[in-house]
Amino acid sequence: MMKFTRMLPALLAQTDVVLELRDSRLPLTSINRTLEGALQKWRLERGWDPNNPTRRVVNSTACERIVVLNKRDLVPQWGLEPFRRAMSTRFPDQQFLFASWQRPRDIRDLSGMLVNIAKKYPYAMELNVLVIGMPNVGKSTLLNALRNMGIKGRTPKALQTSANPGLTQALSTRLKLNLDPLVYAFDTPGVMLPFLGLGEEGAERGVKLALIAGIKEGMYDVEALASYLLYRLNILNPISPAYLNLLPPGAEPTIDIEDFLETLARRMGMVKKGALPDIRRAAVYFVRWWREEGGLISAASARQVTDPSLLQAGPSAAITHGWGFDLEWQIRAEELAGRDHGLLVQEKMEACIDGHLADLERQDLSENNVSATQRKKQAALEEHMERKRKYELKFKNR
């Protein structure tokens, strides 16, 4: 990861399109701030106006940034367009596209975007695409799909893929994605944030990434992952959350993780010595179920802002509502009166985005938001500088 980060400025010098992948379930958490500085410098060097991100002063070569929010089938469909509009409002220098590699139409749309960019610069011999993102967001799978879409005939699988993070550990050789016009791409190792942050915010960020397998789950207690997953599924649909499919008929929603895991263990026959329910095994099963099929169920069953239960709660009663695992807001029935529901959801999402950006800026400015490893490195550097100063002073006094 560190090697690729150091290589990034040189790679961008020969890149025409940056294709950044994020996870639709964590559209804000999967933003990698480590890469932002290099990408902004790349845009300025290619002639984009620093004061107006939508205006380009010099337009001799392609320079586009496309953000692909992968796994769109794992988030409620009603929030896709409002979130795309909200992000486009906040980041006008980026193009946003939701996709799922299981939907050929999404691959075709993305391939068409790249081809159209290449056709805008007919004198360029080729279009070079750099694919970046956090671990396990589907970069290699995307490139295999684009290659199959852009090159006619049977094409072998060019890049290995895995459900676990960290399979791609080095920059790939150039992969041909399209023949006319010529489009090439590089696959890159997933780049994780060097530090997730301190306190509850940092802990929550880590649990989210572990749930989507962006971090090896062995670094976290599986019961903690299951507890957070239960909490989020309750927000998406508190009336009939997706996990009820795992419990006995007639079971009610719960916020008690111990009671839930015990019930699940007995339902699945997960017992240990003494006929006691195997809580840990049930937690592992719950997380795996969500990754394999529960995500689809929860996305399909997540309630909209027009849900009757919200309208019956009273005009001033605040209901917790959300989309994915990053966006959560309070909404009242009186806010729905005479409003376009899509625009209302967009406003709520924009507020969540603004809050997230403000939190990141606050954390970056905080002196305490430094990992123990970084503190040790800083202390070692200061000690080295002090020794150097004393040596130079001693030499000068001779």
Side-chain angles (χ1 to χ4, degrees), residues 237-302:
N237 190 339
I239 307 300
S240 181
Y243 61 77
L244 291 183
N245 291 272
L246 299 174
L247 302 181
E252 297 290 335
T254 179
I255 59 173
D256 188 330
I257 184 61
E258 293 185 4
D259 178 67
F260 168 76
L261 291 178
E262 182 176 337
T263 304
L264 177 61
R266 296 189 185 281
R267 167 73 182 233
M268 298 298 172
M270 299 176 181
V271 294
K272 51 187 180 180
K273 189 174 181 180
L276 297 174
D278 194 333
I279 301 298
R280 179 174 176 78
R281 187 179 169 193
V284 171
Y285 178 85
F286 180 42
V287 172
R288 186 179 302 153
W289 164 83
W290 177 74
R291 288 175 179 167
E292 295 176 354
E293 58 179 299
L296 290 170
I297 297 173
S298 64
S301 63

Side-chain angles (χ1 to χ4, degrees), residues 331-344:
I331 193 167
R332 294 176 172 80
E334 59 188 11
E335 296 182 75
L336 300 174
R339 292 292 308 278
D340 180 286
H341 296 155
L343 291 178
L344 177 60

Side-chain angles (χ1 to χ4, degrees), residues 21-32:
L21 262 68
R22 300 175 189 167
D23 194 299
S24 292
R25 296 166 294 181
L26 301 178
L28 302 180
T29 300
S30 56
I31 296 176
N32 197 326

Side-chain angles (χ1 to χ4, degrees), residues 115-159:
V115 169
N116 288 337
I117 292 173
K119 288 181 177 179
K120 291 180 181 179
Y121 303 88
Y123 298 107
M125 297 182 61
E126 60 196 27
L127 185 79
N128 290 298
V129 180
L130 184 66
V131 182
I132 61 175
M134 286 192 172
N136 207 36
V137 291
K139 297 183 293 296
S140 300
T141 304
L142 163 67
L143 288 176
N144 286 328
L146 285 173
R147 177 178 169 85
N148 290 333
M149 184 67 67
I151 300 179
K152 294 182 179 180
R154 186 173 181 179
T155 54
K157 186 176 181 181
L159 300 170

